[in-house]
Each structure stands twice: as C-alpha cells, then as structure tokens.
C-alpha cells in the first residue's frame, strides 16, 4: 500500500495589498519589490477572519474534491506559525469543529514555511503504516498578524491564505507519494524569529512596546543559505529515487522569492514553463505557499492526474524539505 495526494484545495482572502499600497506605508518602491522578490501583490485576511477560517474553507474544497465524506477524515494536521490561539486549542481542533468532524486525531505542527511538506511526510507515514485512512493536511497562515507594517524588510514579502489536501491510500505506485525529505538545522534559529510571546519572552507591556511579537528575518543570510540548501536537497531526492529532472512535470517550490526559485530551477535544468509560480500574486504565505500554488495550477487545468511533482521548501527553524509525488486527484 502506498500513500497518495488525492486532492488539493485553497482559500485566498479578499483584501488585495499591492506594491503601490505599500509605497504609501513604508519607504519602498514597486521597482525594488519586483526586482528583489518578484512580488506584485499579496492578499490579507479581514480582522475578523482567522487562520482556522481560511483553513476551513480550503479543507472543504479538498474534502469535496477527494470524493469522501467529512466523517471519513480520521486525522487532521495543520501546519501554521500563526495559529488562532497562542497555546491551545490547536488550529486543527478548531478546524475539525468547523467541519463537524468528531473524534479524529487533530494537531498543529510548527515548521514555518516547510510545514506543508513536513505534514505530507507525517501523513504519508500514517497511511503507509495503516494507522489512518484519510489524512487532511493543511497549510494556513495569517501572516499579517505577525508582520510589522512599519518594517519594510519584511512587510512587503508576506501574505495570508490557506491550502489543504487529502492524503489517502493507493495500490498504484505510479499515482503515489514516492518520497518526502524533511530536515532542519537549529544553528540558524535566529535567521527567522518571533522573539515573543513564548516562554523566553512572555507577553508583557514591554514586549509589545518593543515589537518583539513581530516576525524578524535576516533576509540576505537566509537567501544565500536557501539557494544552496534547496539545490542540494532536490538533487538528493531525485538521485535517491533514480529520477531525472527532465522526468518532472511540475517543479513546485516554496514561493518566497522569484530569484531563489529561478536559481534553483536553473541548477535543476528546469525551464520556466515547468515551474509553478504564484509568488507574483500571493507573495510568501509560509506553510500555505505550496498548497496554494498547487491549487492555482490545478484550477487552471495545468496539473493533471498522473503528473509527477517535485515540491521543495525552506523556512524558519531553519527547516527545509522536498517531496516527489504523482498527483492522484481527478
Ligand atoms: O520564507 C522563508 C524563507 N525566506 C526567504 O527565503 C527569504 C530570503 N530572502 C530574501 O528573499 C531577500 O533577502 C529579501 C527580499 C528579503 C531582501 O533582498 P536582498 O537582495 O537580500 O536585499 P538586502 O536585504 O541585502 O537589502 C538591500 C538593500 C538594503 O539597503 P542598503 O543597506 O543596501 O542601503 C535594505 O535596507 O535594500 C534595502 N531594503 C529595501 N529597500 C526598499 C530592504 N527592504 C527594502 C524595501 N524597499 N522593502
């Protein structure tokens, strides 16, 4: 028995934030943002719209497209660094309640932008071991809740949204998830960090006054590490599975920066017409980035049943990961 990606769904919030909007908020320019990142717009959730709301919308679509009932979902994994609640309940439990699912195992994972690939890895193991039958995996983020809109080095990069997928079983290896790699190196924990409100800096007036609740990033250092690590990672997963880059139908990278994507794709020998690119319109949506990108290409009729996908991601922790899988949705 193999695990397979049976469906994909996503939710994009309605409030569009363009580069020209940001020009009015901080000292930046459309030219700088486009040249350095490839981003032209991003979408933000309403004040009264939370990570679980976006996750719920994406999950509904993924469950419907998988052709299963909600009762058949027996595990829910939500990858997020912007949960509804700081400690508990998990966003996965809140989503389960919204979906009317009772009794399923439900938990969040924190692996920043690599969260969806990490969740895929866990779901694959659950299915292959026979532990669960249908695992709902979600990447959902309200990045606008941890972004400082006075900090031009981060606020131009991030957007909100959610993506979800159903992982189930198949006997057909040519429709399965072949391999998932998930890795980390805590030595670089200070490259992407929200300094509060954890046990190290519990929430206080001082914390809020000093803006320690916001995301901070050493962008340039992260950029350099990302390109080298991702290139090595994708080469390794291809080699381990005896697959050549020309066999890949779609390269689906984390949508952080067009320059990172293009550098890795070039090293892989991938022409741009086989690269899934949504960074221009959604910006960086962290754990939601890969499933939102997959969904966009699926809804445009580009990704089809049987297509071989190479996922690849990098984020805070530091964490990174890649996956080789056939799309098994209708
Ligand atoms: O998703 C998780 C993983 N994250 C990533 O993979 C992100 C990786 N990093 C990046 O994508 C890029 O490093 C950034 C897009 C964040 C920054 O691009 P960069 O080419 O590395 O720029 P930089 O940080 O080296 O900054 C260059 C200059 C600086 O000015 P000086 O010191 O040269 O005078 C910055 O202050 O650009 C300035 N700058 C800006 N200027 C206009 C930084 N942000 C902005 C801005 N608008 N928004």
């Amino acid at each position: 028995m193999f695990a397979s990606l049976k469906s994909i769904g996503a939710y994009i919030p309605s409030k569009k934030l363009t580069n020209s909007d940001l020009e009015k908020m901080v000292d930046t320019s459309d030219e700088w943002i486009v040249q350095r990142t490839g981003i032209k717009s991003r979408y933000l959730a309403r004040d009264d719209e939370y990570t679980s709301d976006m996750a719920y919308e994406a999950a509904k679509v993924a469950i419907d497209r998988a052709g299963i009932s909600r009762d058949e979902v027996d595990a829910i994994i939500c990858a997020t660094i912007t949960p509804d609640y700081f400690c508990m309940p998990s966003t996965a439990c809140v989503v389960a309640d919204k979906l009317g699912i009772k009794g399923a195992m439900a938990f969040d994972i924190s692996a920043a932008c690599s969260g969806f690939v990490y969740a895929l890895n866990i779901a694959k193991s659950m299915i292959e071991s026979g532990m669960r039958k249908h695992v709902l995996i979600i990447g959902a983020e309200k990045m606008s809740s941890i972004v400082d809109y006075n900090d031009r080095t981060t606020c131009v990069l991030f957007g909100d949204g959610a993506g979800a997928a159903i992982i189930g079983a198949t006997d057909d290896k040519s429709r399965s998830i072949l391999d998932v790699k998930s890795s980390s190196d805590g030595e670089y924990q200070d490259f992407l960090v929200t300094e509060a409100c954890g046990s190290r800096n519990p929430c206080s007036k001082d914390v809020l006054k000093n803006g320690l609740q916001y995301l901070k990033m050493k962008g340039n250092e992260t950029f350099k590490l990302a390109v080298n690590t991702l290139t090595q990672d994708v080469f390794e997963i291809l080699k381990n599975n005896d697959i050549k880059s020309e066999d890949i139908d779609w390269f689906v990278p984390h949508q952080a920066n067009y320059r990172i994507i293009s550098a890795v794709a070039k090293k892989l020998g991938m022409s741009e017409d086989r690269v899934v690119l949504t960074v221009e319109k959604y910006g960086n949506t962290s754990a939601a980035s890969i499933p939102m990108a997959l969904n966009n290409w699926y809804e445009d009729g580009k990704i089809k049943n049987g297509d071989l996908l190479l996922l690849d991601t990098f984020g805070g922790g530091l964490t990174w990961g890649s996956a080789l899988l056939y799309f098994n949705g209708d």
Side-chain angles (χ1 to χ4, degrees):
M1 182 173 56
F2 305 102
S4 77
L5 175 70
K6 290 190 168 286
S7 68
I8 188 78
Y11 173 76
I12 296 109
S14 56
K15 192 172 144 196
K16 188 177 184 178
L17 185 70
T18 63
N19 292 351
S20 75
D21 295 330
L22 284 157
E23 282 175 347
K24 293 171 200 128
M25 296 158 66
V26 286
D27 180 17
T28 191
S29 65
D30 175 56
E31 192 191 1
W32 190 96
I33 303 171
V34 173
Q35 272 182 10
R36 302 281 178 138
T37 72
I39 301 169
K40 291 188 177 159
S41 62
R42 64 293 286 146
Y43 290 83
L44 305 189
R46 300 183 313 270
D47 288 348
D48 65 348
E49 188 174 43
Y50 313 119
T51 298
S52 66
D53 296 316
M54 296 186 280
Y56 164 67
E57 294 298 336
K60 273 195 303 187
V61 178
I63 294 169
D64 284 352
R65 285 181 181 161
I68 60 169
S69 74
R70 294 183 186 184
D71 292 344
E72 289 176 272
V73 172
D74 47 15
I76 302 173
I77 308 172
C78 183
T80 183
I81 50 167
T82 51
D84 282 22
Y85 298 99
F86 169 54
C87 298
M88 57 189 160
S90 70
T91 304
C93 280
V94 179
V95 175
D97 181 51
K98 287 183 174 156
L99 288 167
I101 295 173
K102 297 243 182 251
M105 171 194 253
F107 59 96
D108 290 357
I109 58 165
S110 169
C113 305
S114 309
F116 188 79
V117 171
Y118 268 55
L120 185 69
N121 206 344
I122 300 166
K124 177 179 186 285
S125 312
M126 285 176 156
I127 299 293
E128 287 175 350
S129 66
M131 182 188 173
R132 289 292 186 277
K133 286 199 163 53
H134 297 105
V135 184
L136 168 63
I137 60 170
I138 303 168
E141 303 283 14
K142 186 171 178 176
M143 294 303 288
S144 58
S145 67
I146 56 164
V147 164
D148 178 357
Y149 285 94
N150 294 308
D151 175 6
R152 70 173 183 171
T153 67
T154 53
C155 74
V156 302
L157 306 173
F158 294 97
D160 300 337
I166 292 290
I167 311 301
T170 180
D171 292 327
D172 183 355
K173 195 175 180 199
S174 72
R175 291 293 180 276
S176 72
I177 301 167
L178 297 177
D179 197 6
V180 188
K181 275 179 98 232
S182 315
S183 312
S184 73
D185 189 345
E187 184 186 337
Y188 304 103
Q189 59 190 272
D190 61 331
F191 277 23
L192 278 137
V193 62
T194 47
E195 290 172 87
C197 303
S199 61
R200 189 173 175 135
N201 289 303
C203 204
S204 69
K205 274 187 189 159
D206 271 355
V207 154
L208 299 179
K209 198 174 90 195
N210 295 318
L212 298 186
Q213 74 277 26
Y214 293 126
L215 173 155
K216 307 230 170 19
M217 177 167 70
K218 292 187 178 173
N220 199 262
E221 291 89 331
T222 308
F223 184 100
K224 286 177 194 151
L225 218 55
V227 174
N228 292 335
T229 309
L230 287 173
T231 305
Q232 197 185 327
D233 205 49
V234 286
F235 274 117
E236 265 175 35
I237 199 168
L238 289 175
K239 188 167 166 248
N240 292 347
N241 291 278
D242 204 16
I243 285 180
K244 297 188 177 56
S245 63
E246 52 266 35
D247 299 330
I248 304 295
D249 292 299
W250 295 106
F251 176 47
V252 194
H254 170 47
Q255 308 286 316
N257 187 317
Y258 174 74
R259 288 187 294 145
I260 298 177
I261 297 170
S262 146
V264 178
K266 210 170 183 179
K267 291 191 180 177
L268 269 173
M270 285 268 175
S271 56
E272 200 158 285
D273 57 356
R274 287 190 294 145
V275 181
V276 174
L277 273 173
T278 53
V279 65
E280 177 180 325
K281 56 181 175 184
Y282 301 150
N284 181 349
T285 57
S286 183
S289 133
I290 285 187
M292 283 170 74
L294 272 173
N295 182 71
N296 192 152
W297 248 239
Y298 170 75
E299 287 188 352
D300 282 356
K302 293 175 187 162
I303 291 180
K304 297 195 176 65
N305 186 283
D307 280 358
L308 181 57
L309 314 174
L310 172 61
L311 316 186
D312 133 57
T313 188
F314 190 86
L318 293 173
T319 56
W320 63 94
S322 51
L324 259 179
L325 64 158
Y326 293 98
F327 184 62
N328 194 25
D330 291 329

